[in-house]
DNA sequence: CGACGGGACGC
DNA sequence: CGACGGGACGC
């Protein structure tokens, strides 16, 4: 079963990354001596002594491949500077450059001590530290946040003191963190002038309630004019998949003082587009409203999307922009430190009326239960349904509407380019109920096959999936 | 039959 | 300074 010691001829990358060491040693040191000294750190898969082609003499260089990066790191940390035989120079031990890189620059230990992880948006830096401290002493933890609103982007860095600690964390932490060695900070990866990062964050992964939503089309809202989506204005656009009335939107946004305008948007035929424009008489109220109500479920199960739209005011001067961001920062700290939170808002008067008429958007013979709230997006997924659509997939918002009604729906994921998708549930029973009710049924003219999903086909890791 | 995404930091 | 070998599954 286990393959032989040689690597396949097709290898271009070392696998796993950072598991191969580059040794500079005295020409008199033999492979056996290296093996004796290095095998105590773990499973050695290969030792290669670089020799002169003609004379077969050692060139004083060797590569040692370990099964795991943590083993290679431990060996590097322990053996660098040691003497392997009487009268020989101390050896040098570096992480080998990956064979594909072509570079022969020494890999600095610094580059091997910082990991990059995906985390729930609710994670604080203390949470990060608590989670990752079991693998070694942490120098610091940083969560990447939107610089304007301060909200987490669900990504973080953890800096350890030693490469072996970072490697151990990558190997042993829950794989949902997708931990990898972070790219060095000084080389800016180029893709980030931050002008559109906000828009990206809001309709890319993470929040299933917004994916595929027409609101994400920035061109509708003057975001394509070069100023980007990080503008802050007194004007907001709220979008809802479920039909909401002017009165409902007004009541919701009027909970925040300072609203001076609220109007539903209608298409050329006079139909409600599920969007409304709101203007406040001051920036702070608008910032607060966006922070509190973007992603808010109203009615339960229907996530509202709230974003700034250009109010036509001139904010082109750097001073004006800075002032605006200052106001935003002050509002943010108020939001975080103040006594009121989203929970307070949800239970406040005016939110208890659950009977909001739904758009005639889902047509089916199935007797559907009422809408239910989605489970938080960072919920542990205990069951997944595999759904086949015939002839074509339903839109994500329709699927959410239908599959949330059995409870604890975490996320809908459609496989791009295929007629299949996954419904993720936090509770197994809810998934089973949905399957029983919907398998073989027709929704909006699309026939559904609804089955339990097979576990993902990944290689077995330390920790097992529990679904 | 019909099968598995997403990821980067104010020097 | 001190950087890249060896060998071959199974249709």
């Amino acid at each position: 079963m286990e393959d032989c010691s040689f690597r396949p001829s097709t290898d271009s990358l070392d696998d796993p990354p950072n598991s191969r060491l580059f040794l500079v040693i005295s020409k008199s040191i033999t492979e056996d001596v290296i093996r004796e000294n290095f095998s105590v750190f773990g499973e050695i898969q290969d030792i290669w002594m670089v020799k002169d082609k003609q004379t077969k003499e050692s060139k004083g260089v060797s590569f040692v491949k370990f099964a795991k990066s943590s083993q290679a790191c431990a060996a590097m940390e322990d053996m660098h500077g040691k003497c392997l035989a009487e009268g020989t120079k101390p050896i040098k031990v570096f992480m080998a450059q990956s064979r594909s890189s072509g570079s022969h620059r020494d890999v600095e230990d610094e580059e091997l001590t910082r990991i990059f992880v995906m985390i729930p948006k609710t994670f604080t830096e203390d949470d990060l530290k608590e989670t990752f401290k079991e693998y070694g002493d942490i120098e610091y933890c940083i969560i990447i946040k939107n610089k304007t609103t301060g909200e987490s982007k669900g990504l973080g860095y953890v800096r350890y003191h030693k490469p072996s600690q970072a490697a151990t964390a990558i190997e042993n932490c829950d794989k949902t963190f997708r931990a990898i060695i972070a790219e060095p900070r000084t080389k800016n990866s180029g893709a980030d002038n931050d002008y559109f990062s906000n828009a990206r964050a809001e309709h890319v992964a993470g929040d299933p309630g917004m994916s595929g939503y027409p609101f994400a089309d920035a061109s509708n809202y003057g975001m394509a004019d070069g100023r980007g989506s990080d503008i802050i204005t007194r004007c907001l656009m709220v979008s809802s998949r479920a039909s909401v009335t002017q009165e409902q939107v007004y009541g919701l946004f009027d909970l925040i003082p300072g609203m001076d305008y609220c109007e539903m948007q209608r298409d050329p035929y006079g139909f409600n587009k599920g969007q409304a424009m709101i203007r406040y008489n001051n920036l702070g109220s608008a910032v607060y409203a966006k922070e509190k109500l973007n992603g808010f479920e109203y009615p339960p199960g229907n996530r509202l999307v709230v974003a700034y739209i250009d109010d036509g005011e001139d904010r082109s001067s750097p001073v004006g922009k800075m002032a605006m961001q200052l106001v935003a920062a002050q509002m943010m700290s108020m939001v975080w430190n103040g006594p009121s939170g989203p929970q307070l808002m949800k239970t406040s008067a005016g939110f208890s009326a659950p009977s909001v008429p739904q758009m005639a958007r889902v047509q089916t013979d199935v007797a559907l239960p009422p809408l239910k709230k989605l489970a938080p997006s960072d919920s542990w997924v205990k069951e997944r349904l595999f759904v086949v659509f015939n002839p074509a997939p339903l839109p994500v918002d329709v699927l959410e509407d239908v599959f949330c009604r059995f409870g604890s729906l975490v996320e809908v994921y459609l496989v791009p380019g295929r007629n299949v998708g996954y419904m993720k549930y936090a509770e197994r029973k809810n998934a089973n109920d949905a399957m029983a009710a919907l398998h073989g049924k027709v929704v909006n003219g699309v026939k559904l096959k609804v089955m339990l999903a097979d576990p993902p086909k990944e290689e077995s890791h330390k920790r097992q999936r529990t679904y």
Side-chain angles (χ1 to χ4, degrees):
Chain A
M1 185 74 184
E2 276 301 311
D3 53 9
C4 316
S5 54
F6 58 81
R7 313 260 78 211
S9 60
T10 52
D11 75 340
S12 51
L13 298 165
D14 295 355
D15 179 48
N18 303 309
S19 59
R20 194 176 60 125
L21 298 179
F22 169 57
L23 276 55
V24 181
I25 51 180
S26 163
K27 295 185 192 339
S28 64
I29 300 293
T30 64
E31 176 174 333
D32 286 345
V33 170
I34 291 175
R35 188 178 303 279
E36 282 166 26
N37 281 277
F38 282 76
S39 59
V40 303
F41 299 99
E43 178 194 343
I44 294 178
Q45 294 178 325
D46 190 29
I47 297 180
W48 170 29
M49 310 295 291
V50 178
K51 296 172 183 165
D52 184 284
K53 282 263 178 13
Q54 273 75 38
T55 70
K56 303 285 185 66
E57 255 186 308
S58 167
K59 291 168 79 169
V61 162
S62 173
F63 292 92
V64 180
K65 173 68 175 70
F66 281 92
K68 299 169 76 173
S69 174
S70 57
Q71 299 164 348
C73 290
M76 174 175 72
E77 290 159 13
D78 224 58
M79 296 303 293
H80 184 72
K82 290 255 170 77
C83 291
L84 298 191
E86 281 290 320
T88 61
K89 286 204 285 191
I91 66 171
K92 298 180 200 172
V93 184
F94 301 98
M95 192 56 64
Q97 285 281 5
S98 78
R99 295 192 102 182
S100 59
S101 83
S103 167
H104 286 173
R105 173 183 63 80
D106 288 352
V107 176
E108 305 285 340
D109 284 14
E110 178 89 348
E111 299 170 44
L112 301 169
T113 57
R114 196 176 63 140
I115 66 172
F116 180 50
V117 293
M118 303 182 76
I119 50 180
K121 292 233 173 52
T122 53
F123 249 46
T124 65
E125 276 149 8
D126 282 344
D127 292 334
L128 197 52
K129 189 164 196 168
E130 283 305 304
T131 305
F132 282 90
K133 71 179 186 188
E134 67 173 291
Y135 310 110
D137 317 317
I138 292 173
E139 187 180 319
Y140 64 82
C141 293
I142 291 285
I143 287 174
I144 301 172
K145 298 168 186 154
N146 181 309
K147 285 190 260 306
T148 309
T149 66
E151 69 194 341
S152 167
K153 293 187 180 177
L155 299 168
Y157 296 98
V158 178
R159 170 80 75 182
Y160 288 98
H161 285 96
K162 293 155 71 177
S164 59
Q165 297 167 334
T168 302
I170 288 170
E171 288 164 12
N172 296 316
C173 75
D174 192 288
K175 70 182 169 62
T176 60
F177 288 116
R178 311 261 166 150
I180 55 173
I181 290 291
E183 292 297 321
R185 188 163 54 90
T186 46
K187 271 185 213 149
N188 206 352
S189 49
D192 195 45
N193 59 15
D194 210 66
Y195 258 64
F196 289 90
S197 65
N198 197 8
R200 244 185 277 126
E202 285 190 0
H203 74 270
V204 178
D207 198 338
M210 302 176 193
S211 55
Y213 196 65
F215 186 79
D217 181 4
S219 62
N220 293 347
Y221 308 106
M223 291 174 183
D225 65 1
R227 275 190 282 202
S229 59
D230 59 350
I231 60 170
I232 297 173
T233 71
R234 298 176 300 144
C235 274
L236 299 173
M237 182 70 78
V238 55
S239 300
S240 166
R241 294 194 311 264
S243 174
V244 291
T245 66
Q246 161 108 12
E247 288 68 32
Q248 290 166 333
V249 174
Y250 187 101
L252 188 54
F253 284 78
D254 195 41
L255 288 172
I256 294 146
M259 189 177 77
D260 64 11
Y261 180 76
C262 172
E263 183 181 298
M264 296 303 294
Q265 306 289 293
R266 298 186 181 278
D267 69 15
Y269 305 99
F271 286 108
N272 189 325
K273 288 165 67 178
Q275 296 181 345
M277 193 161 76
I278 291 107
R279 191 174 70 229
Y280 289 91
N281 60 23
N282 69 90
L283 267 181
S285 292
V287 171
Y288 189 86
K290 178 179 190 289
E291 180 64 19
K292 285 296 188 192
L293 295 173
N294 184 32
F296 185 70
E297 290 187 24
Y298 180 80
N302 177 60
R303 286 188 183 145
L304 299 178
V305 177
V306 182
Y308 300 110
I309 55 175
D310 200 324
D311 57 4
E313 285 189 10
D314 181 21
R315 64 184 70 76
S316 56
S317 80
V319 173
K321 186 169 176 178
M322 280 176 59
M324 216 110 38
Q325 291 179 348
L326 181 63
V327 170
Q330 287 170 343
M331 288 305 304
M332 286 304 97
S333 67
M334 192 190 100
V335 167
W336 289 327
N337 303 328
S340 72
Q343 294 78 11
L344 203 154
M345 295 203 64
K346 279 180 189 169
T347 53
S348 66
F351 287 80
S352 49
S355 60
V356 174
Q358 291 294 301
M359 233 184 275
R361 175 168 62 107
V362 176
Q363 302 170 7
T364 177
D365 292 341
V366 184
L368 289 174
L371 282 170
K372 287 202 177 58
K373 289 168 71 85
L374 298 177
S377 57
D378 58 346
S379 302
W380 189 257
V381 174
K382 292 208 184 104
E383 189 66 272
R384 300 188 309 161
L385 298 178
F386 177 58
V387 181
V388 183
F389 307 96
N390 197 342
L394 288 163
V396 170
D397 61 326
V398 172
L399 291 168
E400 265 185 26
D401 182 304
V402 172
F403 282 85
C404 78
R405 296 166 184 256
F406 305 88
S408 84
L409 180 68
V410 179
E411 191 191 4
V412 171
Y413 172 61
L414 291 179
V415 178
R418 322 230 70 135
N419 292 335
V420 302
Y422 298 90
M423 310 296 141
K424 305 182 185 180
Y425 287 89
E427 298 300 334
R428 183 159 288 142
K429 180 183 190 316
N430 301 138
N432 282 321
D433 289 350
M435 178 166 59
L438 295 167
H439 179 60
K441 297 300 188 334
V442 176
V443 174
N444 288 6
V446 175
K447 178 151 186 186
L448 306 180
K449 285 188 189 176
V450 184
M451 293 150 281
L452 293 181
D454 294 334
K457 60 165 167 87
E458 302 164 49
E459 67 277 13
S460 58
H461 241 280
K462 273 292 196 285
R463 306 200 183 204
Q464 204 106 8
R465 292 233 174 184
T466 53
Y467 63 88

